[in-house]
Amino acid sequence: MDVTTPATGPWLIVGLGNPGPEYGMNRHNVGFMVADLLAERIGGKFKRAGKAQAQVLEGRIGPAGPASRRVIVAKPMSYMNLSGGPVNALKDFYKVPVANVVAVHDELDIDYGTLRLKLGGGDNGHNGLKSMSKAMGPDYHRVRFGIGRPPGRMQVADFVLKDFSSTERKELDWFVDRAADAVECLVIEGLERAQSTYNS
């Protein structure tokens, strides 16, 4: 597939995170935050997706008419390490090509708030991506939201499951908004345009 041109068919936008209010503001849940904002923009509410163990919202993004894209925004409810099963079930149910799946997730190796978009690749130790790639292969899009590395000797698992700091939260809404913009650009205009605009 020419990655500069959006693929045909519906798009499945997956925000990765853990269900439950205790995880809500964790760094690991930034994918859920972006999915929630996209749902707000579309103007609907998430609903339980039957046997898929996920919350989903169907709608369209982009300008009215043929340029708009049908999207399914999803939040797996299986916990991060088991995201692949629900995502693969939704992909099959909605008949979404793997190349039209977009995972929005936290990324340790990028500075806080920085975005990187790409198609395919490894999981870089991210358990949500590892589960998705095991379930359906690695050839899906990723919108990587930088959270930076843990300070000092803090363990990675502890760091990602902690809430964003008070300093980080001052800019978090702006960064989440920008990530949602990047997802929309990817779906509507293609990877190359989205990378040139949002990769920093």
Side-chain angles (χ1 to χ4, degrees):
M1 186 191 79
D2 177 4
V3 298
T4 63
T5 305
T8 56
W11 285 75
L12 175 60
I13 301 165
V14 180
L16 292 179
N18 288 307
E22 66 272 32
Y23 299 105
M25 287 302 296
N26 286 182
R27 294 181 177 93
H28 223 19
N29 268 43
V30 73
F32 273 19
M33 297 174 198
V34 175
D36 285 338
L37 180 55
L38 287 167
E40 190 179 308
R41 291 181 180 184
I42 291 168
K45 292 186 177 180
F46 284 101
K47 63 181 182 182
R48 196 80 181 187
K51 298 177 181 178
Q53 215 177 350
Q55 291 185 353
V56 298
L57 167 71
E58 297 180 58
R60 302 190 77 85
I61 61 175
S68 72
R69 307 284 177 194
R70 180 180 170 227
V71 296
I72 300 96
V73 182
K75 297 190 295 184
M77 294 286 114
S78 57
Y79 291 96
M80 182 70 82
N81 297 7
L82 301 172
S83 300
V87 174
N88 196 47
L90 291 173
K91 174 186 72 70
D92 291 346
F93 179 78
Y94 289 103
K95 298 180 172 56
V96 178
V98 174
N100 282 29
V101 176
V102 182
V104 185
H105 63 92
D106 57 304
E107 179 62 64
L108 286 160
D109 289 335
I110 302 175
D111 290 341
Y112 173 62
T114 299
L115 296 177
R116 293 275 194 281
L117 286 80
K118 70 173 187 174
L119 174 64
D123 56 59
N124 204 24
H126 192 288
N127 288 328
L129 297 183
K130 190 178 297 183
S131 180
M132 284 182 59
S133 295
K134 184 178 179 183
M136 62 185 192
D139 298 326
Y140 52 90
H141 286 86
R142 298 102 188 275
V143 175
R144 305 154 71 202
F145 187 109
I147 60 169
R149 300 294 303 184
R153 296 184 177 182
M154 183 186 289
Q155 294 294 311
V156 165
D158 294 332
F159 179 68
V160 299
L161 292 175
K162 282 192 180 304
D163 289 357
F164 284 102
S165 70
S166 56
T167 301
E168 289 170 335
R169 281 202 294 271
K170 290 176 183 176
E171 295 184 293
L172 182 59
D173 286 349
W174 190 86
F175 287 138
V176 168
D177 192 72
R178 191 166 184 270
D181 289 346
V183 172
E184 291 183 346
C185 183
L186 167 63
V187 170
I188 297 163
E189 300 187 62
L191 179 61
E192 189 173 274
R193 172 62 66 87
Q195 286 176 324
S196 66
T197 304
Y198 293 99
N199 278 15
S200 50

